[in-house]
Amino acid sequence: MTDLERWRLILGEPASRCTGGLQGDAARRDAALEWLYGRDPGLAERGVRKGGSEDSVLQTVDWLDEVHTLFPRETIERLERDAVERYEITDIVTDPEVLQRIEPNPALLRAVLRTKHLMNPAVLAMARKIVEAVVKQLMEKLKTEVRTAFSGTRSRRPSIHKNSRNFDFRSTIRANLQRYQPDERRLAIEHPKFVSRTTRHLEQWQVVLLVDQSGSMTSSVIHSAVTAACLWGLPGLRTHLVAFDTNVVDLTSDVTDPVELLMKVQLGGGTDIAKAVAYGAELVDSPRRSIVAIISDFYEGGSEERLVRTVKGLCEQGTHVLCLAALDDEANPDYDRALGQRLANVGAHVGAMTPGQLAEFVAEKLR
């Protein structure tokens, strides 16, 4: 593809008089992009694109076939994500023919959770397989992060377990010095050395995850469910997971099955953070060995005064309170900063974390 063709695809039909027309696959790419991004009224008003093609011209299934044929994987994922999240083309996740063709990914999982109430039983069964596939990917990634965070400290005792994290650099150098090759300035290592790790007796701690299930928090809901599953059963740790909108639902009994848990979550609705935090406070048995993580955008629909008062009480009794505006891979939140500042003023830690960072925080407190 030439540079002129790329610019033509970026700028749309109005650029043709400067870049020339498109032929073959380039014209097909332009039609696929037009079908999706031509829906944007802002682009149409500025004349960047001529306006979207009607659905009757190119159906969603046909469009998916085209983009999977014409674009690289990274571009396909972006196009599918924009279709679902930006333009709300919900038949991507409610049409069984479409579901059979689309590749499971986090954007699709978010779309499934937002639209599963629209699905008939047959489509819902297919959608569940998407949830299972993406959750499995997230579990594998987070298990590694959690396992790393909760590993014991390094010991100087030798170990027979050859793990890169336990590699003993100094002992390996000493043991192989006779194999130094001056001409090549290289040390040939024949006997690498490793150290063991110690485990310490851990006092029982509690982690209470309070997760806002409003629509804007979908990604955090997903990662909270998977994080809770990874933390469940770790030595010295008792994990609770609670979802809330204007109601509070304790999902702790489903923590070991994050797929089932996510299929039960009802996204959307109002938000009463104070009510959820009051429930979480009742779960705390030993305040100084408890972590309460409130995962929300902090646009409170209930009483801000009650919320601040409850958080202040938790902090004063020695509980570690995390007010996380995001718990996902990006940790780049949009939240009510004024309320966040009020919560920080009474002793809460306010910010955003990835699941791995939360695991590290918990592990550090346990040690």
Side-chain angles (χ1 to χ4, degrees):
M1 187 186 301
T2 67
D3 289 340
L4 283 177
E5 286 177 327
R6 289 189 178 91
W7 278 111
R8 166 62 183 80
L9 289 175
I10 292 169
L11 297 175
E13 178 64 29
S16 293
R17 57 181 177 269
C18 298
T19 63
L22 298 172
Q23 302 295 327
D25 285 348
R28 292 169 62 196
R29 290 188 185 97
D30 184 60
L33 293 172
E34 191 69 48
W35 183 85
L36 181 63
Y37 295 111
R39 302 162 189 269
D40 194 321
L43 293 176
E45 290 170 6
R46 297 197 301 272
V48 177
R49 287 192 174 276
K50 63 185 178 184
S53 302
E54 296 299 325
D55 287 2
S56 59
V57 177
L58 184 62
Q59 297 296 331
T60 304
V61 174
D62 299 323
W63 176 77
L64 282 171
D65 283 341
E66 283 287 88
V67 299
H68 276 265
T69 301
L70 297 168
F71 296 99
R73 182 182 181 87
E74 295 80 5
T75 306
I76 293 169
E77 291 177 354
R78 174 59 185 268
L79 292 172
E80 290 176 347
R81 183 170 69 247
D82 284 351
V84 172
E85 298 187 343
R86 185 171 174 181
Y87 299 109
E88 299 182 349
I89 304 174
T90 56
D91 55 350
I92 282 185
V93 291
T94 56
D95 186 324
E97 190 174 357
V98 176
L99 283 174
Q100 285 179 335
R101 303 185 186 200
I102 200 165
E103 185 75 19
N105 60 70
L108 184 58
L109 172 55
R110 291 192 291 272
V112 166
L113 296 184
R114 292 185 181 121
T115 59
K116 57 186 171 66
H117 63 286
L118 303 174
M119 301 176 183
N120 62 45
V123 175
L124 192 60
M126 295 176 63
R128 186 185 179 93
K129 293 180 180 179
I130 292 173
V131 176
E132 290 172 351
V134 180
V135 166
K136 183 179 179 181
Q137 295 170 8
L138 290 173
M139 285 287 290
E140 290 301 318
K141 180 177 182 294
L142 291 185
K143 275 182 179 178
T144 301
E145 295 180 5
V146 171
R147 192 181 303 119
T148 300
F150 281 83
S151 294
T153 56
R154 285 162 63 100
S155 165
R156 300 316 303 172
R157 293 180 299 172
S159 172
I160 61 173
H161 300 292
K162 298 180 179 181
N163 185 300
S164 60
R165 293 189 299 108
N166 299 337
F167 181 66
D168 190 337
F169 177 79
R170 294 181 182 275
S171 295
T172 298
I173 295 296
R174 285 196 299 268
N176 294 274
L177 275 176
Q178 68 272 26
R179 295 179 182 81
Y180 180 66
Q181 302 167 357
D183 294 341
E184 299 182 14
R185 303 184 68 180
R186 182 180 299 174
L187 182 67
I189 296 176
E190 184 174 329
H191 302 293
K193 301 295 182 181
F194 300 86
V195 296
S196 62
R197 287 182 178 264
T198 61
T199 55
R200 299 174 60 182
H201 174 70
L202 301 175
E203 292 183 289
Q204 186 75 26
W205 275 68
Q206 276 181 285
V207 173
V208 180
L209 302 178
L210 305 173
V211 188
D212 184 344
Q213 59 180 354
S214 59
S216 62
M217 299 298 296
T218 307
S219 184
S220 291
V221 170
I222 294 167
H223 285 82
S224 296
V226 178
T227 300
C230 292
L231 293 175
W232 185 266
L234 287 173
L237 189 64
R238 187 151 48 97
T239 304
H240 306 263
L241 180 63
V242 178
F244 67 90
D245 40 39
T246 53
N247 296 307
V248 178
V249 182
D250 196 324
L251 298 172
T252 303
S253 60
D254 293 312
V255 161
T256 55
D257 187 353
V259 173
E260 181 64 28
L261 189 153
L262 288 172
M263 295 303 288
K264 289 183 177 180
V265 166
Q266 300 295 324
L267 297 174
T271 307
D272 192 335
I273 310 172
K275 185 176 182 180
V277 176
Y279 178 85
E282 294 176 357
L283 297 175
V284 173
D285 293 332
S286 181
R288 295 188 178 277
R289 293 199 300 277
S290 296
I291 299 168
V292 174
I294 309 162
I295 303 157
S296 173
D297 56 14
F298 297 100
Y299 290 103
E300 174 65 294
S303 169
E304 289 191 8
E305 295 303 324
R306 182 189 180 195
L307 172 61
V308 173
R309 185 168 61 249
T310 306
V311 169
K312 181 180 180 182
L314 284 168
C315 294
E316 288 178 344
Q317 70 183 12
T319 301
H320 302 274
V321 180
L322 301 177
C323 294
L324 303 181
L327 181 68
D328 55 30
D329 283 338
E330 296 180 358
N332 184 25
D334 175 22
Y335 65 104
D336 187 331
R337 295 180 181 274
L339 181 53
Q341 185 60 60
R342 292 183 65 189
L343 296 170
N345 291 343
V346 297
H349 304 277
V350 178
M353 287 182 174
T354 65
Q357 290 169 337
L358 176 60
E360 289 174 3
F361 181 89
V362 174
E364 185 62 30
K365 296 304 177 186
L366 264 67
R367 294 192 189 109

